[in-house]
Amino acid sequence: MRSPEDELAELEAASLRRHLRAVDSPQLAHTQVAGQSLSNFASNDYLGLANHPHIKQAFIEATELWGTGSGASRLICGSLPPHRKLELYIATSKGTEAALVFANGYATSLGALSALLRKGDTVILDKLSHASLIDGARLSGATLRVFPHNDLNKLSKILEQTFSKKSTDARVLIVTESIFSMDGDHAPLADIIALKQKFGALLLVDEAHGLGILGPTGMGLAEQLDCAKGIDLQMGTLGKAAGVAGGYIAATKPLIDLLTNKARSFIYSTAPPPSQSHAALVALQLIRSPEGSKLRQKLWNNLQTFADATQTPLPASAIIPWHVGPSAQALELSQTLQNTSALLVPAVRYPTVPRNTARLRITLTAAHSTQDIQTLAAALLHHTA
Ligand SMILES: *Cc1c(COP(=O)(O)O)cnc(C)c1O
């Protein structure tokens, strides 16, 4: 039998071993790691809401009112007012009949895909879809097809093949992200919607990295492109730009009812703390308020500062991939930036990204100062020249 030590040694040899980084301060633009203060370019807290005074206050007040735990799963006795109000607010903001909230985004992907699909159905994913979506697709037992990243010719071919032989009641679900988590680029949502309508497939779009960043009220890429009506299942997480935790699906009432009945990660799991849902509600309200617009503007100004300083195009989102290639080299660059310039910029490697496409994953937030970004740009240019 293989030993855990052997397996770890293999990972080590391939520069694929991972270690927990002990962070000793709150999630802010500057963070304390092993006694060193680092500029934090690793966080998905894009608007700096994870330490916002109003959201912290909301969390505390909801705890005073509702206690720390929900006591049971939502279907038993855990369906408390903060959860229901959050779902109502998400549905209203997304322009859907209903919404369902899960403990986190991972549980949302797993629960939703395995509930919607079964053996005989087909799920068609963009190649760069997040691990949680792939896991949910596998768990469902449906036939899994993958199209090369944003390649709609290939998607169209797969749809043609699938619909030419599918049984009448089989479901076909297209799955994509709006903003891709490791590349920061956009999906061509309008064209995907046109295809799904042409064939009569369903479409799920994960806005994990679009929420808070894009759209007039920060609801994501679908809001920005004004195409939310063409998406059957609008998914997202409340743990990134919203600065709290949780995952959601916004959809028609029958689809939400079906998930409530069949999503096992929803049914067989204690409801998240009521304070989590209340804080997430306040965070979403803030994202949609004039203050949210200001934070978005600040984030986009920061992205422009980065583009100017590195003489690169304006990034498409808060995520900037700095391509390196080999895993060992990406790790080394990340370490050099930490040692020489006090920068926290994580290397991402296989299996998070395809083999030999290791990179630094830089995330900018509204909380960074111009100076933080100038320092980052100068260090990147200096060490990758
Ligand atoms: C982070 C992420 C998730 C998971 O959300 P969590 O709330 O962190 O569990 C799902 N999908 C995508 C695209 C993500 O980036």
Side-chain angles (χ1 to χ4, degrees):
M1 201 157 60
R2 68 183 186 287
S3 72
E5 290 84 355
D6 286 349
E7 230 174 307
L8 289 168
E10 273 172 36
L11 288 172
E12 187 75 52
S15 297
L16 294 177
R17 181 152 179 194
R18 297 167 188 238
H19 298 277
L20 288 171
R21 183 182 280 120
V23 175
D24 296 315
S25 59
Q27 203 51 241
L28 296 164
H30 294 261
T31 194
Q32 226 25 61
V33 179
Q36 194 188 4
S37 173
L38 302 177
S39 277
N40 183 0
F41 292 101
S43 173
N44 300 314
D45 181 25
Y46 302 127
L47 299 178
L49 297 189
N51 287 276
H52 191 289
H54 291 164
I55 303 172
K56 288 203 281 194
Q57 191 59 33
F59 215 117
I60 292 162
E61 282 171 8
T63 303
E64 294 289 354
L65 211 53
W66 298 105
T68 52
S70 290
S73 107
R74 291 283 301 283
L75 283 165
I76 301 300
C77 64
S79 197
L80 302 171
H83 305 314
R84 304 192 315 257
K85 282 186 188 154
L86 173 60
E87 286 168 348
L88 192 60
Y89 190 78
I90 291 172
T92 308
S93 313
K94 293 279 182 181
T96 59
E97 289 173 359
L100 192 66
V101 167
F102 294 71
N104 54 58
Y106 188 87
T108 308
S109 294
L110 227 61
L113 292 183
S114 61
L116 289 167
L117 301 165
R118 60 186 185 210
K119 196 166 183 299
D121 293 341
T122 303
V123 53
I124 312 173
L125 298 112
D126 185 286
K127 176 100 170 76
L128 297 189
S129 294
H130 189 258
S132 63
L133 297 166
I134 297 168
D135 293 354
R138 285 195 180 134
L139 188 62
S140 74
T143 301
L144 202 158
R145 304 286 312 265
V146 171
F147 59 99
H149 179 48
N150 281 345
D151 183 342
L152 300 198
N153 282 331
K154 188 61 201 220
L155 172 59
S156 176
K157 287 214 178 75
I158 295 174
L159 284 164
E160 235 164 72
Q161 288 164 3
T162 304
F163 275 87
S164 71
K165 59 179 187 213
K166 91 170 191 54
S167 72
T168 46
D169 76 332
R171 284 203 179 115
V172 179
L173 176 69
I174 304 168
V175 172
T176 189
E177 296 177 27
S178 62
I179 307 298
F180 285 84
S181 58
M182 295 297 139
D183 292 67
D185 60 337
H186 296 193
L189 285 187
D191 297 332
I192 294 176
I193 289 168
L195 269 182
K196 84 116 203 166
Q197 286 168 342
K198 177 177 162 197
F199 285 93
L202 292 169
L203 173 63
L204 180 149
V205 176
D206 185 349
E207 290 259 28
H209 301 277
L211 182 74
I213 310 305
L214 295 170
T217 72
M219 286 298 101
L221 183 61
E223 186 192 39
Q224 173 152 314
L225 302 176
D226 196 17
C227 67
K229 291 260 173 297
I231 300 169
D232 302 281
L233 299 124
Q234 300 184 62
M235 179 187 150
T237 170
L238 302 163
K240 287 168 181 159
V244 188
Y248 65 84
I249 300 267
T252 61
K253 183 131 194 341
L255 278 170
I256 294 301
D257 279 349
L258 186 65
L259 294 181
T260 308
N261 277 273
K262 297 192 82 175
R264 294 169 66 88
S265 63
F266 176 84
I267 298 169
Y268 298 106
S269 184
T270 302
S275 49
Q276 174 181 319
S277 287
H278 181 64
L281 170 67
V282 171
L284 287 178
Q285 287 168 337
L286 198 153
I287 284 174
R288 305 191 76 214
S289 74
E291 185 183 350
S293 296
K294 264 194 210 141
L295 290 172
R296 264 190 294 292
Q297 194 52 53
K298 176 84 193 308
L299 170 65
W300 283 99
N301 289 345
N302 282 347
L303 288 159
Q304 186 65 57
T305 300
F306 180 86
D308 293 342
T310 52
Q311 302 196 334
T312 51
L314 178 68
S317 69
I319 302 161
I320 308 166
W322 193 267
H323 291 282
V324 179
S327 295
Q329 235 168 287
L331 284 178
E332 200 183 300
L333 178 57
S334 171
Q335 197 60 53
T336 303
L337 293 176
Q338 178 169 337
N339 296 345
T340 62
S341 313
L343 297 167
L344 177 57
V345 192
V348 294
R349 299 162 275 168
Y350 178 83
T352 307
V353 295
R355 283 185 200 277
N356 298 313
T357 69
R359 68 201 65 174
L360 301 183
R361 178 179 183 270
I362 303 165
T363 49
L364 297 195
T365 76
H368 289 119
S369 68
T370 305
Q371 186 55 52
D372 292 334
I373 293 163
Q374 302 284 11
T375 305
L376 169 70
L380 282 170
L381 293 178
H382 180 73
H383 292 288
T384 55

